[in-house]
Amino acid sequence: MKRCELLIVGAGVAGMAAAVAAWDSGCRNLVLADRADRSGGILPQCIHEGFGLSAFGAELTGPDYADRWAAALKRTGVQLLLNTEVLSVTETKTAILSSREGLGELGFERLILATGCRERAVGSLPIAGTRPAGIFTAGQAQALINLRHQSLGRNILILGSGDLGMIMARRFTLEGKRVIAVVEQNDHYGGMARNHHRCIEQYHIPMLYRSTVSEIHGVGRICGVTLTQLDSGRREYISCDTLITAVGLIPERELARGLGDPDWLYLAGNCHRIHQVADSAAAEAEAIGKRIMQEGQR
Amino acid sequence: METYDVVVIGGGLLGCFAARNLRRWDLSVALLEAREDVCTGVSRANTAIVYPGYDHKPGTLKTEMTVRANARFDTLCRELDVPFKRCGSLMVGFGAQAEAVLRRKYENGLAAGVPGLRLLSGAEALALEPALAPGVTLALYAPSAGTVNPWALGVAAFENAVDNGAQPWLNTAVRGIRAEGGSYVVGTDRETFSCRALINCAGLSADRVQALFRAPDVRIVPSAGDYLVLDQTAANAPGHIIQYEPEDGGKGLTAVPTVEGSLLLGPSERENETDFATTLPGLDFVRERAGRVLPRLALEETIRSFAAVRPNPQRFDGGSVGGFVIDNPAPGFWSLIGIKTPGLTCADELGRHVAEHAAAYLQAERNMAFSPQRTGIKKAHGMSCEQRRAAIADDPDYGEVLCRCEDITRAEVLQAIRRGAVTVDGIKRRTGATMGRCQGSRCQQRLVQLLAQEGNIPACAVTKDGRGSEILGGGHETV
Ligand SMILES: Cc1cc2nc3c(=O)[nH]c(=O)nc-3n(C[C@H](O)[C@H](O)[C@H](O)COP(=O)(O)OP(=O)(O)OC[C@H]3O[C@@H](n4cnc5c(N)ncnc54)[C@H](O)[C@@H]3O)c2cc1C
Ligand SMILES: Cc1cc2nc3c(=O)[nH]c(=O)nc-3n(C[C@H](O)[C@H](O)[C@H](O)COP(=O)(O)OP(=O)(O)OC[C@H]3O[C@@H](n4cnc5c(N)ncnc54)[C@H](O)[C@@H]3O)c2cc1C
């Protein structure tokens, strides 16, 4: 069985930042694995500007920001395994890796999970009705539009006003689609003021506060939703052909399940907690990368 | 005109098993299904229980079939290479009313020969199933109860029927039936079929399909029910099937730890509703009942809700029908009308039953070449490291995980498509992809791509669940 000192799962910004920091602190036997065919994690699909204000002092797009980290990684000797799924991790400090080349076991001394997050899907919400085609999570829609250049629909309703919801409202508008409204259960948008200003106000996108989608209609493709006003209870039918859900991110920790809290396991980036800005995920991961090496020397 | 000995109408569980069992005889068989795939109707949304057989009166066809089917289920699932979990069931009561019901079912079960049946005290039930509410006073324990994925079973029966020479006709909706010189002529929206025997397994439409020829004595009065699905990680989920018998005599609740590892909760009961849409009161009902019987269950781990529609058979005078309705409106013509619970449990038995009738009617010989064995898609999940390594060496697509929640590889998805999946839901029914906690938000696009590539169609023509459910490019111009 192959062995390494440090295994990092996930080559998003957190994984890359942790890897660079660990290398710079003297770790020389380090593997960074990601299932995707490129590094960067979620960033390549975030083609808007707004990354790197504190790390690089510039407002970069997601892909450019990812490239900066990829360049930093390149000057190290970190072994980057792409197209590689980490299937599981055992208590005996072994990871099972799967790729088209085969199934491998990799022993490690320490493990950083930088596996990002997943989006809460519509099924987990208390919404009645049918489950037709035309319902996407915001990140899924973002990948389809920005990476695959697909068109999803024409009349879009967005549920949830976090950064993702607001960014996607603008994205659909720029694509020439009609964003009927962004629906939010609270009385204030959920994301950053900067995004509200740039994505909602500047494009005059209607916001519906203290409202929620309570029912989905449509048999093949979605044809509308019932909107409920939370204070008055008033219900209203709104027709739409696409529903985007931006209702929360959940740290992705499947690999840690059943492991308890061993002293060789670290969580970084969105896998640890949801970071609103990538710089914050990077800073956290860098600190972990450094700390691991210090702890390793003790 | 297409000519067969037997035509089966409907590709749900019952039609697929009828076709399979008809091929035990030397008969040419066509299976006509209106949709683009099998198991898209009642068979895709139900409680997934393989019942032990204590629910109905002993001595009836329904009870006898259920007990026999249950005993054969391991063999059946081995033949068809479908996972089956004999997890046992606990029917639980919290007071005198429910206890009376449980005792009656216990007596029924003893008389019907249900194996291993036991009445447990509240303490015994809690020891066996700590997830239960502490107030439980009596439980009926049936170790023979189990669970199977209904569409996995139906698809397997379909594949086995086709392997044995049954001819599938998908996208073929029956529009008319008439008798002509000892044969039946079945008109569809495509070809016309001629056959000597006809088996109607049209599910929710079975009464109307028979009425194309002669009105049946019963009609189907649908009612709907809502379900919740919890993630396999949900804390305090039971290991047994739990059937809650409420004290007030109202509708109870069933919890099923599925073969996939998720927990199914439901159904509610809504009269006279016909569409597969959930309602908020229905979902609230399920949550409320679940709270009563499994108080610590992590309901916040819900990943999906869905609705089912029951094909309740009813006499025209309004009277309800207790037994299985197997109508025989004319020689050589059988209709399975309003087969609800336990139609999944009894699917193979019902198929055998009608096949034997048809074979006797047509004086058919045994088909010596019939093989009951079917090989399923080899699943990467659950393989040992050595097996998985060998699978990848053999086919690198086994190395590429597409659905991460359920650990399903590209190889499995491609096999599903080659075996007949033409929609995203068709892949789901054959592999389990998109059934996990992210509900396809991460893998759906990959599935769409593969369906487009393998079917040689543009991605925007790929559907979730048949015509009208296009996923991409979607949305109709609003006027
Ligand atoms: C739509 C959107 C807009 C945003 N906008 C901004 C913005 O304007 N400005 C800003 O600063 N921040 C923004 N952010 C936040 C920032 O992008 C994220 O916080 C940050 O990129 C998270 O990085 P990460 O490395 O933790 O996770 P990810 O980027 O998600 O990386 C996780 C990686 O782990 C891999 N992985 C997971 N499990 C496995 C496994 N089992 N085996 C192998 N590989 C695995 C995945 O393939 C992925 O590459 C935005 C985020 C989103 C989603
Ligand atoms: C809520 C609920 C819970 C249940 N739980 C259980 C359980 O736990 N255990 C158990 O044993 N049983 C259970 N059952 C029963 C079981 O699900 C059914 O008995 C079984 O699925 C019926 O299958 P089917 O083939 O009759 O129907 P379907 O699956 O609906 O198949 C009928 C097919 O006929 C096709 N069709 C209709 N009209 C035409 C036409 N004109 N031409 C061509 N094709 C046509 C339809 O497209 C469909 O594919 C449950 C049922 C319900 C409703």
Side-chain angles (χ1 to χ4, degrees), chain A residues 13-24:
Chain A
V13 59
M16 291 193 286
V20 170
W23 177 271
D24 288 345

Side-chain angles (χ1 to χ4, degrees), chain B residues 406-428:
Chain B
E406 303 291 294
D407 190 16
I408 289 151
T409 62
R410 183 185 162 96
E412 291 154 76
V413 171
L414 283 172
Q415 286 176 60
I417 295 173
R418 286 164 195 160
R419 286 174 185 231
V422 289
T423 62
V424 168
D425 283 359
I427 294 178
K428 161 176 158 176

Side-chain angles (χ1 to χ4, degrees), chain A residues 25-290:
Chain A
S25 310
C27 179
R28 285 295 172 268
N29 187 0
L30 196 169
V31 174
L32 174 60
D34 200 298
R35 59 161 70 97
D37 58 4
R38 37 130 192 85
S39 60
I42 190 85
L43 293 166
Q45 71 183 60
C46 302
I47 59 170
H48 58 279
E49 291 180 342
F51 293 84
L53 277 170
S54 57
F56 301 111
E59 256 205 78
L60 306 171
T61 64
D64 287 343
Y65 181 75
D67 285 348
R68 298 259 180 135
W69 282 107
L73 186 67
K74 223 175 180 157
R75 59 167 179 75
T76 69
V78 170
Q79 194 190 346
L80 178 62
L81 298 179
L82 294 174
N83 299 304
T84 302
E85 178 91 24
V86 178
L87 290 178
S88 60
V89 175
T90 66
E91 285 166 350
T92 52
K93 300 206 261 185
T94 305
I96 312 285
L97 277 53
S98 175
S99 74
R100 298 184 67 86
E101 277 71 56
L103 195 80
E105 280 171 279
L106 179 64
F108 54 80
E109 290 309 313
R110 282 154 205 284
L111 172 69
I112 301 179
L113 292 184
T115 45
C117 60
R118 66 169 190 275
E119 296 177 275
R120 247 184 107 182
V122 69
S124 65
L125 303 174
I127 300 181
T130 51
R131 290 295 177 262
I135 306 171
F136 304 88
T137 62
Q140 182 187 14
Q142 189 180 44
L144 283 166
I145 295 171
N146 294 347
L147 299 178
R148 309 224 166 260
H149 313 292
Q150 297 284 359
S151 151
L152 306 189
R154 295 172 211 279
N155 293 293
I156 322 285
L157 191 75
I158 298 182
L159 180 61
S161 68
D163 290 318
L164 253 168
M166 296 197 289
I167 287 169
M168 287 315 293
R170 175 176 65 182
R171 191 74 193 96
F172 277 110
T173 307
L174 292 173
E175 288 280 300
K177 314 297 181 190
R178 185 167 79 98
V179 175
I180 300 160
V182 176
V183 178
E184 168 59 53
Q185 61 180 2
N186 294 317
D187 55 12
H188 192 267
Y189 53 84
M192 294 184 280
R194 179 180 92 190
N195 282 330
H196 179 254
H197 178 66
R198 287 182 184 178
C199 302
I200 302 294
E201 284 179 343
Q202 287 192 356
Y203 292 87
H204 311 290
I205 294 169
M207 297 279 314
L208 294 174
Y209 291 111
R210 296 290 301 148
S211 297
T212 193
V213 169
S214 54
E215 194 168 345
I216 292 169
H217 307 278
V219 175
R221 175 95 187 184
I222 185 170
C223 63
V225 301
T226 301
L227 203 76
T228 299
Q229 287 180 11
L230 293 172
D231 296 318
S232 65
R234 227 188 77 203
R235 292 154 64 90
E236 178 187 4
Y237 180 89
I238 293 193
S239 76
C240 64
D241 57 43
T242 305
L243 173 65
I244 301 297
T245 57
V247 290
L249 303 172
I250 304 167
E252 178 75 66
R253 295 185 195 147
E254 294 317 302
L255 291 173
R257 200 195 303 161
L259 290 179
D261 188 17
D263 60 0
W264 44 263
L265 171 67
Y266 302 80
L267 306 177
N270 280 351
C271 171
H272 176 226
R273 65 180 174 85
I274 303 302
H275 293 268
Q276 262 188 330
V277 296
D279 280 343
S280 142
E284 177 189 273
E286 276 188 301
I288 291 172
K290 277 192 197 127

Side-chain angles (χ1 to χ4, degrees), chain B residues 92-104 137-138 245-250:
Chain B
V92 296
F94 294 81
Q97 288 268 3
E99 285 179 20
V101 175
L102 265 50
R103 289 186 207 283
R104 197 171 65 238
T137 57
L138 191 73
E245 183 65 32
E247 219 19 38
D248 52 21

Side-chain angles (χ1 to χ4, degrees), chain B residues 8-16 32-35 37-51 66 73 146 150 169 172-175 188 200-206 208-209 212 223-225 227 254 256 267-268 276 306-312 324 336 338-347 350:
Chain B
V8 178
I9 304 172
L13 272 163
L14 299 182
C16 294
L32 276 43
E33 167 54 53
R35 291 278 307 266
D37 197 359
V38 296
C39 291
T40 62
V42 178
S43 304
R44 87 184 304 187
N46 57 50
T47 317
I49 299 179
V50 175
Y51 281 95
T66 308
F73 229 85
W169 289 83
T172 307
V174 172
R175 298 275 193 251
T188 73
N200 164 19
C201 302
L204 285 163
S205 318
R208 277 165 287 157
V209 164
L212 294 172
S223 68
Y227 291 85
T254 305
V256 180
S268 61
F276 287 80
F306 68 88
V309 180
R310 301 178 186 85
N312 307 302
F324 282 145
L336 297 174
I339 307 287
K340 44 177 195 169
T341 307
L344 162 63
T345 311
C346 297
L350 284 163

Side-chain angles (χ1 to χ4, degrees), chain B residues 6 10 16 61 63 66 68 89 138 141 159 198 205 219 239 253 284 343 348 387 399 433 449:
Chain B
V6 191
C16 294
L61 178 70
T63 296
T66 308
R68 195 162 57 223
S89 67
L138 191 73
Y141 174 50
E159 290 183 2
L198 188 57
S205 318
R219 61 175 166 171
L253 179 90
D284 286 343
D348 194 44
Q387 288 168 328
Q449 261 178 303

